[in-house]
Amino acid sequence: MEKYIIGNLKMNLLTQAERNHYLASFSSELKKSKFSNSRVVLCPPMVHMEKFAGVFRGSEVQVGVQNVYFEERGSFTGEVSPLMVKNFGGEYAIAGHSERRRYFGETNEVANEKIKIALKSGLRPVYCIGETEDERRKDLTFEVISRQIEEGLLGIANTQADRLIIAYEPIWAVGTDVVPESNEVMEVRILIRKILSELYSPELAERIPILYGGSVKAKSAAQVCVDPGMDGVLVGRESLIPMEFLKIANIIDKS
Ligand code: 13P
């Protein structure tokens, strides 16, 4: 299966100068890489999306956003619709990220609405799931993940499911520099695949990429992605350093 290396730039790149420097550095690093089996995707803050889409048009880098609203248009002050994202050059939308769940009360049901409208608008949703440290300690990982998938993907038909991307981000590994062991990631991958094959057909479930996210670095990419058989990564902090992000992409692409 094709691999996905997705950068979640979060709320960074505060000035035009900083953004332009990032783009110049990314473009120059990109010239040194040739990916044969991977999609490289950057999800910058919304204000930068159109610029990123313009800079990377025609290149091997695609662009997405970190969040969308679940309506197409109308009186929803401050929100951005997935159709706008699509029309301005975006191809992907993250949904259900643990920071959205934690700070903005995004539930599985809200993520589900966002995933449905993202699909309808022609975007590929990247649905984030994962357990907290407390849930892990109480041995609730499988239960939490099962619920997140079942509720988050409710009502998504077979015909649309092959555009989904799942990102397993254990919350205790996000922003912490602590990463799970390969076998822990693999166990969750197997569980996710099993749930997907119960919701859809096993053949279709096989085609849905399952990524790992949480403190991914070049030095941990094999442990959290290649060895446990994941289909790529969702990278936070290291995506702000083009050289490091592309190093991760190269490791995964060549694996
Ligand atoms: P870090 O890679 O900074 O831990 O962030 C992971 C993440 O939240 C990606 O969505």
Side-chain angles (χ1 to χ4, degrees), residues 39-185:
R39 286 183 185 269
V40 176
V41 180
L42 290 174
C43 299
M46 206 64 91
V47 284
H48 298 317
M49 197 218 79
E50 190 183 357
K51 176 78 179 174
F52 271 56
V55 166
F56 292 117
R57 191 163 297 126
S59 81
E60 36 191 350
V61 176
Q62 295 178 297
V63 172
V65 291
Q66 300 165 20
N67 181 39
V68 284
Y69 193 54
F70 46 77
E71 294 285 346
E72 203 164 276
R73 72 171 72 232
S75 300
F76 302 103
T77 301
E79 295 296 330
V80 174
S81 100
L83 197 53
M84 285 174 191
V85 172
K86 180 69 183 171
N87 291 338
F88 282 82
E91 304 278 358
Y92 297 79
I94 298 174
H97 191 278
S98 57
E99 288 153 14
R100 303 279 328 163
R101 292 178 188 267
R102 179 170 172 199
Y103 302 122
F104 304 97
E106 192 159 317
T107 57
N108 296 334
E109 290 73 22
V110 171
N112 178 251
E113 292 298 319
K114 292 183 176 185
I115 292 168
K116 284 197 274 199
I117 193 159
L119 286 166
K120 181 166 169 247
S121 309
L123 299 176
R124 292 195 66 176
V126 181
Y127 179 40
C128 299
I129 56 174
E131 79 286 4
T132 63
E133 189 167 13
D134 190 46
E135 288 162 346
R136 181 171 185 248
R137 217 177 306 114
K138 291 183 181 145
D139 224 5
L140 292 172
T141 301
F142 280 29
E143 198 178 314
V144 168
I145 284 176
S146 305
R147 195 166 349 105
Q148 287 171 332
I149 299 182
E150 280 156 18
E151 294 177 359
L153 301 185
L154 197 70
I156 291 162
N158 273 281
T159 48
Q160 293 192 303
D162 62 353
R163 293 188 48 78
L164 291 169
I165 297 176
I166 307 286
Y168 169 55
E169 298 206 315
I171 296 169
W172 48 273
V174 172
T176 57
D177 288 333
V178 179
V179 287
E181 297 297 333
S182 297
N183 65 327
E184 295 176 299
V185 180

Side-chain angles (χ1 to χ4, degrees), residues 8 10 97 99 169 173-176 213-216 234-238:
N8 173 5
K10 304 196 180 178
H97 191 278
E99 288 153 14
E169 298 206 315
V174 172
T176 57
S215 296
V216 179
L234 182 54
V235 183
R237 285 156 298 162
E238 294 293 276

Side-chain angles (χ1 to χ4, degrees), residues 152-224:
L153 301 185
L154 197 70
I156 291 162
N158 273 281
T159 48
Q160 293 192 303
D162 62 353
R163 293 188 48 78
L164 291 169
I165 297 176
I166 307 286
Y168 169 55
E169 298 206 315
I171 296 169
W172 48 273
V174 172
T176 57
D177 288 333
V178 179
V179 287
E181 297 297 333
S182 297
N183 65 327
E184 295 176 299
V185 180
M186 189 156 62
E187 277 175 18
V188 178
R189 174 177 66 76
I190 293 166
L191 171 75
I192 296 172
R193 199 67 83 198
K194 179 168 172 284
I195 301 168
L196 291 175
S197 62
E198 283 161 7
L199 289 178
Y200 306 106
S201 68
E203 299 74 39
L204 178 52
E206 282 299 322
R207 295 207 303 274
I208 301 174
I210 304 174
L211 318 186
Y212 170 82
S215 296
V216 179
K217 291 188 170 23
K219 68 173 193 308
S220 60
Q223 177 177 328
V224 294

